[in-house]
Amino acid sequence: MERLAKVDHVLLDKTGTLTSGRPTIGEITVTKGRRRDTAIRLAGGLEVASSHPYALAVGDLLESEDLKPTSVQDLKDVHAGVEGRVRGDLVGLYRPDRLPSGVTLEGELASALVVSSKAGHGASVLVRGEECIALFTFVHDDGRSGSDEVVKDLYARGVNVEILSGDLQSAVDQFAARVGMPSKAAHGELTPEDKVRFVEQRSSTHVTMMVGDGFNDAGALAKADVGVAVGTGEQVNLEAADVLIPGDDPRLITTLIFLARSANRTLWANLLFSIGVTVILVFAVINNWYDNLWIGVLVHEMSVIVVILNGARLAGSDGWWDLIKGTFSGLIGDTRESIALFSSRFRSSS
């Protein structure tokens, strides 16, 4: 909570955090001599075990076209992609700028990538052996409701904001402009390792909060001063994060920081008030201002009530009264139980 109150730099993952995380398949361009359905089935086989938003989009396409994924062996995640083997051939689905050594994007696939990039869409290249056989483009989802508000509120509270994303830089720039962020604060085409290094760099000069929801954010979440997982998350993500925000409202990020700062101020106010009351009571006794114990007890207990009421303000206008009722109901109940216990023991002893 103390670190949360000091956060002055927030790093936001884009897909799944500021957006719904469910892009859809746009255009699928295949090279001459290749079949579209075969390319889709192969891409589905590569992404079958992944929960990345692009993988989910490929899975949705398979289901909508009633296709079954190709069986792919030796599946493994690689630098900005996934690869495996089919009948001995190396196959993979990669980010266009992270193709394996010796593999180049040419002809109609290269042209399709240019069009996709200008439109701000994401893209993945399907490779078999040393040949690019298809380009899948992904139409990025709209921002979640409140995405622009969370950026505006963070700026208003004096918090720096940056986007870290594995998507193409053009797509990240376009999204940043929509939510009111300058292009210099939008960083695309980052690998999970790049995100970790970026967070480490920012953490050396700021108190950082990293917010993400995907498997690839786990390392960055762990490196930030405060790691926040949003949505349902994945197990590795939840283990790396300090805070879980259930649901899909990004505005809870600013609520979290506001609550932490308010709690910190309230804590110090209550602490100073309690110390002040104690000092006054001790000073009053030393100077013989009163000699009745009940007066000191009454003043002390009244100060406790003031502290409780001040702390209850953190619950907000909606929960303040319920919290007060619950607190005092508990106190009354405990008092009754204590009196009943004392009475029963007194009767038994007599």
Side-chain angles (χ1 to χ4, degrees), residues 141-350:
D141 44 350
D142 294 331
R144 291 191 189 278
S145 175
S147 294
D148 53 344
E149 293 178 43
V150 70
V151 172
K152 182 180 179 181
D153 288 346
L154 287 171
Y155 281 148
R157 297 183 189 280
V159 179
N160 297 318
V161 188
E162 291 182 284
I163 293 177
L164 306 183
S165 177
D167 296 339
L168 292 174
Q169 185 63 52
S170 57
V172 181
D173 286 341
Q174 288 192 10
F175 182 82
R178 292 208 306 268
V179 297
M181 293 178 61
S183 58
K184 65 180 181 180
H187 309 280
E189 303 178 10
L190 299 179
T191 65
E193 293 77 15
D194 292 334
K195 290 184 179 182
V196 170
R197 287 191 291 269
F198 201 100
V199 172
E200 285 181 327
Q201 181 183 11
R202 289 293 186 265
S203 297
S204 65
T205 55
H206 298 274
V207 179
T208 57
M209 172 193 285
M210 175 67 197
V211 186
D213 81 320
F215 176 87
N216 291 336
D217 299 322
L221 290 175
K223 287 295 182 181
D225 294 302
V226 180
V228 179
V230 297
T232 56
E234 299 184 22
Q235 189 59 38
V236 64
N237 186 301
L238 299 181
E239 291 175 356
D242 301 299
V243 181
L244 169 64
I245 297 180
D248 56 9
D249 188 351
R251 287 169 292 195
L252 292 176
I253 298 168
T254 52
T255 301
L256 178 64
I257 294 176
F258 170 76
L259 183 60
R261 291 181 175 181
S262 298
N264 194 55
R265 288 193 298 268
T266 301
L267 173 64
W268 279 104
N270 286 344
L271 183 61
L272 293 175
F273 176 75
S274 300
I275 292 174
V277 170
T278 302
V279 169
I280 291 173
L281 289 175
V282 171
F283 186 79
V285 171
I286 293 175
N287 287 274
N288 200 29
W289 289 358
Y290 68 90
D291 55 4
N292 291 320
L293 179 62
W294 69 269
I295 296 177
V297 173
L298 178 62
V299 172
H300 182 270
E301 295 308 311
M302 290 298 293
S303 71
V304 171
I305 293 175
V306 171
V307 167
I308 292 174
L309 293 175
N310 189 41
R313 293 187 303 110
L314 294 173
S317 57
D318 295 334
W320 184 85
W321 179 240
D322 290 337
L323 181 60
I324 292 298
K325 287 195 298 183
T327 299
F328 283 97
S329 295
L331 288 174
I332 293 172
D334 291 342
T335 301
R336 287 175 176 173
E337 290 181 8
S338 299
I339 293 174
L341 180 61
F342 176 79
S343 299
S344 63
R345 289 185 177 180
F346 179 78
R347 286 194 298 269
S348 62
S349 62
S350 60

Side-chain angles (χ1 to χ4, degrees), residues 118-139:
K118 288 182 178 179
H121 298 162
S124 291
V125 180
L126 183 63
V127 176
R128 183 161 188 165
E130 295 185 352
E131 179 189 0
C132 297
I133 61 176
L135 178 80
F136 289 76
T137 62
F138 299 87
V139 179

Side-chain angles (χ1 to χ4, degrees), residues 12-31:
L12 299 167
D13 173 54
K14 182 177 77 69
T15 305
T17 302
L18 296 176
T19 69
S20 66
R22 292 302 295 264
T24 57
I25 297 290
E27 296 292 331
I28 301 175
T29 306
V30 296
T31 56

Side-chain angles (χ1 to χ4, degrees), residues 58-69:
V58 172
D60 290 342
L61 181 63
L62 279 171
E63 184 177 351
S64 66
E65 300 198 6
D66 196 24
L67 297 173
K68 292 185 178 181

